[in-house]
Amino acid sequence: GDSVTQMEGPVTLSEEAFLTINCTYTATGYPSLFWYVQYPGEGLQLLLKATKADDKGSNKGFEATYRKETTSFHLEKGSVQVSDSAVYFCALISGFQKLVFGTGTRLLVSP
Amino acid sequence: GAGVSQSPSNKVTEKGKDVELRCDPISGHTALYWYRQSLGQGLEFLIYFQGNSAPDKSGLPSDRFSAERTGGSVSTLTIQRTQQEDSAVYLCASSSNRQGLNQPQHFGDGTRLSIL
């Protein structure tokens, strides 16, 4: 079945550091890919999406590129802030319309 | 409303009782989903509605769990004879499929269910 694998956390960075959170997927067909973010005490929010190969999703300084050849959708940000501290979930939807999530990666950014 | 609304936000109940969780999706969204978030299992899909019908119930963990959606809008998730392992945050999401399938899903804040 479809699955998403993302790097285990926590990822601990200093403010202004470069962030990469790795995500790879297994899916039948041509999935759409998403990153969701969950800030402390809040619900899941859509961060960015990509619907086909080579698409780049971007939002709030975060980017991820849909790489079909490596089945990856790594999340990057050039300069993190303390306010980016949250749990990040990589996810996909394929033909079955349900989101399949990775286990989540906690990001901790210190001043 | 502007977003997906879930109620109650917190529910504490005794083992063996029945509970009902409510979800009011974004206006005009035809697709509605229920997920469960728990420490041991991460985020799990429960059920998907398109309009009032549920083409995918594959994630419901047992026959104690049921869900319905009426009028193509509000949905209720019912858990009968609750068990301690049902303790989790229950999340509802909705999406518009007017631009095709595989559209982003927008989540409510969830109902935190605690079974004593």
Side-chain angles (χ1 to χ4, degrees):
Chain A
D2 297 348
S3 66
V4 175
T5 302
Q6 61 183 108
M7 60 191 291
E8 296 222 7
V11 173
T12 304
L13 295 172
S14 298
E15 206 164 25
E16 299 183 3
F18 184 85
L19 169 71
T20 301
I21 300 178
N22 289 337
C23 171
T24 58
Y25 67 90
T26 302
T28 54
Y30 303 96
S32 293
L33 303 175
F34 306 89
W35 278 98
Y36 281 84
V37 59
Q38 190 170 34
Y39 296 102
E42 298 185 15
L44 277 169
Q45 300 176 26
L46 177 67
L47 180 60
L48 52 84
K49 67 172 183 175
T51 57
K52 62 184 187 297
D54 300 325
D55 269 2
K56 178 186 282 188
S58 61
N59 186 25
K60 299 182 181 180
F62 291 88
E63 293 183 339
T65 301
Y66 189 144
R67 301 284 188 203
K68 190 177 177 193
E69 64 276 12
T70 54
T71 61
S72 65
F73 193 54
H74 305 320
L75 183 68
E76 296 182 335
K77 186 174 185 183
S79 176
V80 294
Q81 306 301 310
V82 172
S83 58
D84 294 327
S85 297
V87 181
Y88 293 81
F89 293 91
C90 185
L92 66 83
I93 298 178
S94 66
F96 300 102
Q97 295 309 299
K98 61 187 179 188
L99 275 165
V100 175
F101 288 93
T103 52
T105 302
R106 183 175 299 277
L107 171 64
L108 300 170
V109 181
S110 56
Chain B
V4 177
S5 177
Q6 292 188 245
S7 61
S9 54
N10 282 283
K11 178 73 176 177
V12 180
T13 192
E14 293 179 347
K15 176 182 169 183
K17 300 287 189 184
D18 297 352
V19 294
E20 256 189 22
L21 312 180
R22 176 188 166 102
C23 173
D24 199 344
I26 292 172
S27 178
H29 279 191
T30 57
L32 185 148
Y33 312 80
W34 285 97
Y35 295 86
R36 180 167 72 171
Q37 186 175 24
S38 56
L39 277 176
Q41 302 298 321
L43 278 154
E44 305 172 276
F45 166 80
L46 297 178
I47 187 169
Y48 156 53
F49 287 92
Q50 181 60 45
N52 291 338
S53 64
D56 189 351
K57 306 179 184 179
S58 63
L60 294 177
S62 76
D63 58 8
R64 296 187 295 105
F65 287 72
S66 63
E68 64 175 15
R69 188 180 187 196
T70 54
S73 182
V74 171
S75 175
T76 54
L77 176 70
T78 302
I79 309 173
Q80 296 178 309
R81 304 182 303 282
T82 52
Q83 304 293 313
Q84 286 185 332
E85 62 263 26
D86 301 334
S87 296
V89 177
Y90 288 82
L91 295 168
C92 179
S94 69
S95 67
S96 171
N97 289 342
R98 287 180 187 157
Q99 294 178 329
L101 300 177
N102 296 1
Q103 295 301 309
Q105 296 176 19
H106 302 274
F107 284 80
D109 287 340
T111 294
R112 182 176 297 277
L113 177 64
S114 301
I115 309 299
L116 302 178

